[in-house]
Amino acid sequence: LAPFFIRVPDPPAVAVALISAGLLDAIGENATAVGSSSAAAGDGDGGGSDRGDGGSGLHSVRGAASARGSTDTATDTDAEANDEATDAVHKVAGLSCTAYGGPPDEVAAEMVYWKDIPQDAAYVSPYKSYGPQKKYLTFEPDEGGWNNIRMSMETAVAFAHAMGRTLVMPPEQKMYLLEKKEGNSKNTFSFSDFFHFESVAVEHPGVEVISTQEFLEREILSGNIRHPQTGEILIPPSNKTDWEGIGTYHSEEFKELAKFLRSVGTTSTWACDQCVATFPSQPGPFTSERLETMLKDILAEGDSRASEVFDNNPTPVDAPAKDRMKEMLAHRENLCIYNNTLQS
């Protein structure tokens, strides 16, 4: 059992799209963009070289047990019950402000940047059933302001979904520009204060989320995940599993927990200013040849991927994989492939 860590740069620095070959059948051409935000990059199937460094971080872990929100994936026999459960919570992609004196729902709908796409909601990554039964991804919130923090978290969700890993949410902590306390006001926050991950788990069977405390208790203290080099049982700093209320990115408590989580994971620093994160359509070795061939063809075409080519002319999301890769590459000349080394 072993973990995995990826460094993610500050969101404003570089916008990188995640490309997956064959993640959604509805897209065609066996490739699709899974999301975009700041992301990381990696190496090809042949090696394990890591590049770059950045602001917030992602750590991935393989383990034995996890939970997903409050509702498990529905089977055919309980699909109706699951639909009722979904209706019991608000739609993740929806936005209604009428109860708070806001605009009508049809007006609010224009402000929603998440679209409710049924086939996306039903998607489960092929990597989920590859390798160890349970695999985890932990991450460090961005050190910037709220918008940076939000974008890096969304990137972590996209990565975990694409990798078929359970996402370990950071503990409640102080966040830059939100940590000032006035009277009895709250000044430590978790992502659950802003996002309904229970709803996400109900609507998306491929997304699993647990807390840092759950992860430490279930996998670390239980000995399910051990030191990747020595095989020794790991002990969290001060033998503590409850890290709720820690300081900001620069606090000693934050650094102590981050250092431990990195130490138990497989660490990969992907230089996202040099390459685009990509996922082969199927897990296992030697599955990235098609992506690499697309890259060679695009680079041979020269200036066809210049940014001005796409100004006011974005590539459709259901366009062939090569066309979408061309736009996403921008100035980059490499792919960052989720290879078999990182998968396992």
Side-chain angles (χ1 to χ4, degrees):
L1 300 175
F4 174 62
F5 167 73
I6 306 174
R7 296 291 296 165
V8 180
D10 293 340
V14 183
V16 180
L18 311 181
I19 299 180
S20 166
L23 275 186
L24 296 179
D25 293 337
I27 294 299
E29 274 293 306
N30 286 334
T32 182
V34 198
S36 64
S37 180
S38 67
D43 44 26
D45 280 328
S49 62
D50 293 324
R51 303 171 291 224
D53 197 4
S56 61
L58 298 169
H59 326 236
S60 93
V61 185
R62 293 181 292 160
S66 82
R68 176 174 56 80
S70 58
T71 306
D72 290 327
T73 306
T75 63
D76 290 340
T77 56
D78 60 11
E80 183 176 346
N82 193 68
D83 288 341
E84 293 177 359
T86 302
D87 291 338
V89 293
H90 74 286
K91 292 289 186 182
V92 174
L95 178 64
S96 179
C97 307
T98 54
Y100 307 97
D105 287 353
E106 57 270 20
V107 175
E110 297 181 4
M111 298 184 285
V112 176
Y113 63 93
W114 291 118
K115 292 188 179 298
D116 189 9
I117 304 174
Q119 61 266 35
D120 283 7
Y123 169 75
V124 177
S125 170
Y127 296 99
K128 192 174 182 65
S129 58
Y130 182 76
Q133 182 180 7
K134 289 297 178 182
K135 301 171 284 289
Y136 297 90
L137 186 72
T138 68
F139 70 100
E140 300 160 19
D142 189 270
E143 61 185 297
W146 168 247
N147 211 39
N148 290 16
I149 294 170
R150 174 189 59 79
M151 286 192 291
S152 65
M153 183 277 295
E154 290 171 354
T155 299
V157 173
F159 265 122
H161 195 15
M163 295 175 179
R165 294 177 179 270
T166 297
L167 185 64
V168 180
M169 280 295 168
E172 181 174 294
Q173 59 195 264
K174 291 182 178 179
M175 296 181 179
Y176 177 59
L177 299 179
L178 298 178
E179 76 271 25
K180 185 176 180 180
K181 187 173 181 64
E182 297 181 358
N184 295 323
S185 64
K186 182 179 176 69
N187 73 332
T188 60
F189 301 93
S190 69
F191 285 109
S192 62
D193 289 319
F194 305 97
F195 297 93
H196 297 264
F197 284 104
E198 293 83 0
S199 301
V200 173
V202 169
E203 295 184 21
H204 295 262
V207 176
E208 300 186 16
V209 179
I210 64 172
S211 68
T212 295
Q213 183 171 352
E214 287 178 284
F215 172 70
L216 293 175
E217 291 175 352
R218 293 181 185 184
E219 304 295 4
I220 302 299
L221 292 185
S222 67
N224 287 332
I225 293 175
R226 302 195 176 199
H227 193 284
Q229 279 77 47
T230 67
E232 296 177 350
I233 293 178
L234 297 160
I235 304 296
S238 304
N239 202 25
K240 185 168 75 171
T241 60
D242 182 1
W243 291 81
E244 300 295 311
I246 63 176
T248 64
Y249 189 90
H250 298 286
S251 71
E252 291 305 314
E253 277 187 307
F254 185 105
K255 293 177 181 178
E256 187 178 25
L257 176 61
K259 181 179 179 181
F260 173 76
L261 291 174
R262 294 182 197 182
S263 72
V264 304
T266 301
T267 302
S268 176
T269 51
W270 287 355
C272 70
D273 59 336
Q274 299 175 20
C275 35
V276 174
T278 58
F279 296 80
S281 59
Q282 296 298 324
F286 313 114
T287 57
S288 62
E289 287 86 352
R290 185 165 176 270
L291 289 169
E292 292 167 345
T293 298
M294 286 183 198
L295 175 65
K296 291 178 182 178
D297 291 344
I298 291 171
L299 295 180
E301 294 172 4
D303 294 336
S304 64
R305 61 193 177 93
S307 60
E308 53 267 23
V309 173
F310 304 102
D311 287 348
N312 298 313
N313 184 36
T315 303
V317 296
D318 58 351
K322 181 180 174 181
D323 293 344
R324 283 176 284 128
M325 183 187 291
K326 186 184 300 184
E327 179 178 11
M328 295 172 188
L329 276 169
H331 62 279
R332 304 170 188 84
E333 296 186 352
N334 298 285
L335 299 182
C336 312
I337 299 175
Y338 188 52
N339 60 24
N340 194 55
T341 300
L342 299 180
Q343 294 167 25
S344 56

